[in-house]
């Protein structure tokens, strides 16, 4: 070699292999593995070692590779070749390969260490999506370790009951009356204080913990609603955010029914906010089924961040929804001739489909006046109130309704 790279360990993991095995049977799966092995042999040099180390995992050892560029190009050729469709049992199927690799520049890296590094790089490649190749680096290892640390902290925080809810009021544009509150998760960290969801929701989803956070939001949100009612505040509904795993839970509707009935509330007291991206990304039958069940049970379902995805219109036609939440990015530019026309058209469309429109991110009195005049039914945003601890809501409500009575 050129002396810069002395050895390379490349780990290859097949994408969608399990699906082929499950749908076409183990014979087809076996033939697919042979097919991949053929590709690996054809793309490597005679002296390279190719082995299968697990169900659908392969390893290539390259001693004295000619250059880093050659390794990159090898990874590229493998991902391209494996992604080509193959015919098995008269059915065309497509799989893919994700690759992680690591290089040793001196003789001191042990085989075990190199396999661990290739595995970390592979983990990152899988995380980035299918069909990608990633190289190991110390920075990558640090990043992965930091993420795992965050996973551990979130798990610990769940065990210590450190997740709380803030509530943000939503008001009718027509009467100014309070329509409800969105329930927003917060992490009360013993050292860092109140941590916003941007820091933990994505990590919780990756660690498969986000449904537990959603569950806490429902329980603490309904406790809050019950408490508000007991204080004589008539709060018609609370909105909670349902992450993709929550929506894929076939017991969700039953569980929510139990939660509302345990507090002598009705399903109408709970609005479930569903992200457009949930429905777009996986075209998720299970999620669509849950939405249907929720709505038949009497819960309200609204489409959150409306207008940020590509499938807004098709979602409106295939789902029975109670409303849309117009994303902040639509509200920010108003008043503006184009944005105003789009909002006004969406309001007309929603009316004809019997859906309400909530405008989100209403930050200024000018925003408020504009979206109200365009026909949005409800507003939520800093100009009405910022999200607040559930315990502060009573005082806010009193001040708000008094001020409102004075203005009226
Ligand atoms: P979202 O569902 O779109 O919630 C609205 C976000 O906009 C909230 O951010 C809120 O504080 C913020 N906001 C409200 N009014 C204004 C405004 O006038 N201007 C601006 N710039 N922002 C405003 P937050 O609380 O940081 O939550 C961020 C996201 O985290 C939420 O976005 C939601 O997607 C997610 N999230 C929050 N709680 C939960 C939860 O319990 N479960 C799940 N799965 N996701 C949650
Ligand atoms: Ca939301
Ligand atoms: Ca939103």
């Amino acid at each position: 070699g050129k002396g810069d790279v002395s050895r390379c360990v490349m780990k290859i993991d097949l994408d969608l292999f399990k699906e082929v095995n499950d749908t076409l049977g183990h014979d087809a799966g076996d033939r697919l593995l042979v097919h991949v092995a053929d590709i690996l042999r054809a793309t490597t040099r005679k002296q390279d070692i190719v082995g299968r180390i697990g169900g659908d995992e392969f390893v290539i050892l390259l001693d004295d590779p000619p250059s880093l560029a050659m390794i990159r190009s090898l990874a590229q050729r493998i991902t391209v070749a494996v992604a080509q469709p193959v015919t098995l049992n008269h059915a065309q199927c497509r799989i893919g390969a994700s690759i992680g690799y690591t290089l040793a520049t001196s003789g001191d890296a042990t085989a075990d260490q190199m396999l661990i590094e290739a595995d970390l790089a592979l983990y990152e490649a899988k995380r980035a999506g299918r069909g990608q190749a990633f190289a190991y680096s110390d920075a990558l290892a640090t990043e992965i370790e930091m993420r795992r640390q965050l996973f551990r902290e979130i798990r610990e925080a769940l065990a210590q009951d450190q997740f709380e809810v803030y509530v943000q009021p939503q008001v009718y544009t027509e009467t100014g009356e309070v329509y409800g509150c969105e329930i927003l998760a917060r992490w009360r960290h013993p050292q860092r204080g109140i941590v916003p969801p941007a820091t933990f929701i994505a990590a919780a989803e990756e660690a498969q913990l986000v449904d537990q956070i959603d569950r806490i939001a429902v329980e603490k949100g309904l406790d809050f609603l019950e408490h508000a009612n007991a204080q004589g505040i008539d709060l018609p509904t609370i909105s909670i955010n349902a992450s993709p795993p929550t929506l894929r839970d076939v017991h969700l509707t039953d569980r929510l029914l139990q939660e509302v009935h345990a507090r002598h509330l009705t399903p109408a007291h709970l609005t479930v906010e569903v992200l457009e991206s949930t429905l777009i990304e996986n075209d998720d039958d299970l999620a669509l089924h849950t939405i249907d069940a929720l709505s038949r049970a009497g819960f309200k379902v609204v489409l959150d961040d409306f207008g940020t995805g590509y499938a807004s219109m098709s979602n409106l036609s295939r789902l029975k929804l109670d409303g849309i939440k117009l994303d902040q990015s639509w509200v920010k530019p108003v008043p503006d001739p184009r944005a105003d026309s789009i909002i006004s058209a969406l309001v007309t469309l929603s009316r004809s489909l019997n859906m309400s429109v909530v405008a989100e991110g209403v930050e200024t009195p000018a925003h408020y006046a504009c979206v109200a005049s365009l026909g949005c039914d409800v507003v939520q945003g800093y100009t009405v109130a910022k999200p607040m601890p559930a315990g502060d809501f009573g005082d806010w409500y009193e001040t708000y309704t008094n001020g409102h009575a004075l203005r009226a």
Side-chain angles (χ1 to χ4, degrees), residues 198-269:
T199 330
F200 60 83
I201 289 290
E205 189 164 344
E206 200 178 334
Q208 294 173 343
L209 299 168
V210 74
D211 55 330
Q212 294 189 48
I213 295 175
D214 287 356
R215 197 181 283 234
I216 290 168
V218 169
E219 291 169 8
K220 297 196 173 177
L222 288 172
D223 288 347
F224 156 76
L225 176 63
E226 195 185 21
H227 184 70
N229 285 344
Q231 287 182 301
I233 300 173
D234 175 31
L235 194 60
T237 192
I238 57 159
S239 304
I240 55 108
N241 293 283
S243 63
T246 294
L247 279 179
R248 273 185 230 119
D249 175 3
V250 289
H251 302 299
L252 180 69
T253 308
D254 284 342
R255 192 161 52 75
L256 295 184
L257 282 172
Q258 275 172 20
E259 295 288 353
V260 294
H261 290 149
R263 295 170 181 81
H264 307 288
L265 299 168
T266 65
H269 284 117

Side-chain angles (χ1 to χ4, degrees), residues 15-17 19-20 24 32 80 82-88 91-96:
D15 309 320
L16 301 173
F17 177 72
E19 281 75 357
V20 172
L24 296 179
L32 200 51
V80 169
V82 175
Q84 298 308 309
V86 250
T87 307
L88 292 168
Q92 224 193 36
C93 56
R94 266 175 194 282
I95 56 162

Side-chain angles (χ1 to χ4, degrees), residues 182 241 273 275 304-306 325-328 360:
E182 179 169 4
N241 293 283
E273 298 192 359
L275 284 174
D304 201 358
D305 295 358
F306 187 84
K325 291 190 82 177
L326 204 56
D327 189 67
Q328 331 196 337
E360 270 200 287

